Amino acid sequence: MHVRKAVLPVAGWGTRFLPATKAMPKEMFPIIDKPVIQFIVEECIDANVENIIFVTGRHKRPIEHHFDINTDLEKHLEECNKTGLLENIRQISRWINPIYVRQKEQLGLGHAVLTAEPVVGEEPFIVSLGDIVVEDGSSVIEEMLSIYNKYGRSVIAVFEVPQEEVGKYGVVDAVHLDGPVYSIKDLVEKPSPDKAPSNLAIVGRYIFTPRIFEKLRVTKPGKGGEIQLTDAIKLLLEDEQVYAYKVENKVYDTGTPIGYIKTIIDIALQREDIKDEMFEFLQDIINKHSQCIDI
Ligand code: UTP
């Protein structure tokens, strides 16, 4: 069955980024001049996703405003003859007809995905996490779709991380099939480096068969009392094969202060309009700091 829908869970508290996330969703933090969530929406549009379903919460209204029409702003830009900006603003609000589903209580990522069930129905669907940016992300979704089309089963994007960092991620125990494709045997949440079955960590991009909903409904609260998506995938593995797709693209986790800063710097160094000035600035401060710090 054709994959038409993407679920973007954006309802989390963002506690790792408090107090910044007290009144502002982390998904709206700017990567220079574009909010994180726009990168993820653009990735879906470029991969020809037809429906974008945001799983949102009462403290996430700025996301809805961002994808809505702002007639006052458009009028202002028109009057000032700022045509480039006007075009950009118009495009964002007319790209998609978003669907918003409320997660009334933040009971975890698995619960957020389950909240979208009435809108997704009996169809395969994409899940893209609202705080993970993937370089050239649409190509990742397209590759995952072709694996889904071949096997008709769920596909999870993974990437290689240094062995000593596996404890920060969900990690797969998988058998290599062909090229970037693996068959998953098991998943382990935040393993210690000496016990990890591999260094292939889950990225935050998934394609699921609708059977995941059946599993999410019976998933017991796990770590932190939350309904974990990885626990539901483990249950899914009892019934269905699940595949992993190893991405070579850069993965940016904007959900932590250090991950966010790294994302901004890396993306700034790729932007034609600012990269030279940014590079000089970085070189300069590194020189200054290395005189004070023993590096
Ligand atoms: P995270 O675990 O990174 O987000 O979930 P969080 O819970 O907001 O962050 P911390 O741990 O408190 O700092 C990944 C994505 O899933 C969404 C988040 O908004 C984020 O985009 N999420 C998480 C939900 O939609 N609902 C939840 O109950 C939990």
Side-chain angles (χ1 to χ4, degrees):
M1 194 186 222
H2 183 51
V3 182
R4 302 183 301 145
K5 297 174 179 172
V7 174
L8 275 47
V10 293
W13 288 115
T15 51
R16 286 167 296 166
F17 232 129
L18 280 168
T21 44
K22 188 171 172 236
M24 173 57 80
K26 62 177 173 180
E27 296 83 1
M28 281 303 293
F29 286 180
I31 305 298
I32 305 162
D33 49 13
K34 194 195 281 190
V36 171
I37 194 67
Q38 192 178 324
F39 282 86
I40 297 154
V41 165
E42 286 179 9
E43 170 186 307
C44 292
I45 293 168
D46 291 345
N48 296 315
V49 171
E50 290 169 29
N51 295 114
I52 297 183
I53 302 149
F54 294 90
V55 180
T56 180
R58 73 185 70 79
H59 52 300
K60 300 285 179 148
R61 295 310 284 266
I63 297 174
E64 295 174 34
H65 293 319
H66 186 69
F67 294 105
D68 200 0
I69 295 174
N70 184 337
T71 39
D72 291 343
L73 177 63
E74 288 184 13
K75 196 161 155 266
H76 169 72
L77 294 173
E78 216 168 71
E79 281 164 6
C80 304
N81 254 334
K82 297 196 168 160
T83 40
L85 274 177
L86 178 65
E87 227 8 78
N88 188 298
I89 294 301
R90 282 205 168 128
Q91 202 185 22
I92 296 164
S93 44
R94 286 156 180 87
W95 262 336
I96 51 166
N97 277 323
I99 301 166
Y100 296 99
V101 180
R102 277 277 181 115
Q103 186 188 21
K104 294 179 192 162
E105 290 178 283
Q106 279 60 51
L107 299 179
L109 177 58
H111 180 261
V113 173
L114 184 58
T115 307
E117 185 184 13
V119 185
V120 174
E122 275 295 309
E123 288 187 30
F125 64 104
I126 296 161
V127 171
S128 294
L129 298 196
D131 55 358
I132 303 290
V133 173
V134 180
E135 180 190 39
D136 188 19
S138 62
S139 70
V140 169
I141 300 289
E142 279 160 6
E143 290 294 336
M144 292 172 74
L145 286 170
S146 69
I147 299 166
Y148 172 81
N149 289 335
K150 179 169 176 190
Y151 296 104
R153 290 287 179 258
S154 301
V155 186
I156 296 174
V158 295
F159 71 133
E160 260 181 303
V161 296
Q163 193 69 27
E164 62 276 13
E165 286 182 24
V166 288
K168 293 198 247 170
Y169 301 92
V171 168
V172 297
D173 182 0
V175 178
H176 184 226
L177 294 182
D178 188 24
V181 185
Y182 293 73
S183 171
I184 298 180
K185 287 196 292 179
D186 199 7
L187 301 137
V188 190
E189 200 50 59
K190 302 188 171 61
S192 60
D194 53 320
K195 298 221 173 76
S198 76
N199 65 340
L200 294 176
I202 298 172
V203 171
R205 298 292 184 269
Y206 314 79
I207 296 176
F208 288 117
T209 60
R211 187 170 271 197
I212 193 72
F213 291 130
E214 200 181 289
K215 303 301 174 189
L216 281 166
R217 274 196 291 276
V218 296
T219 301
K220 304 242 173 351
K223 227 171 168 217
E226 295 190 337
I227 295 173
Q228 303 285 349
L229 186 57
T230 33
D231 289 342
I233 301 169
K234 278 161 90 84
L235 293 178
L236 185 65
L237 273 169
E238 291 172 9
D239 292 1
E240 287 185 0
Q241 191 56 262
V242 177
Y243 295 89
Y245 167 66
K246 188 169 104 179
V247 309
E248 301 292 346
N249 312 38
K250 276 190 219 165
V251 175
Y252 302 102
D253 181 359
T254 69
T256 64
I258 186 67
Y260 176 65
I261 292 166
K262 286 180 181 172
T263 309
I264 293 185
I265 294 174
D266 198 346
I267 292 183
L269 290 171
Q270 297 170 44
R271 275 224 348 207
E272 284 305 324
D273 56 338
I274 50 177
K275 69 176 187 188
D276 294 341
E277 199 174 333
M278 185 70 188
F279 189 76
E280 270 174 41
F281 170 74
L282 285 174
Q283 260 186 335
D284 193 36
I285 51 167
I286 287 167
N287 285 341
K288 280 189 187 135
H289 282 280
S290 54
Q291 284 160 19
C292 319
I293 310 168
D294 216 10
I295 318 181

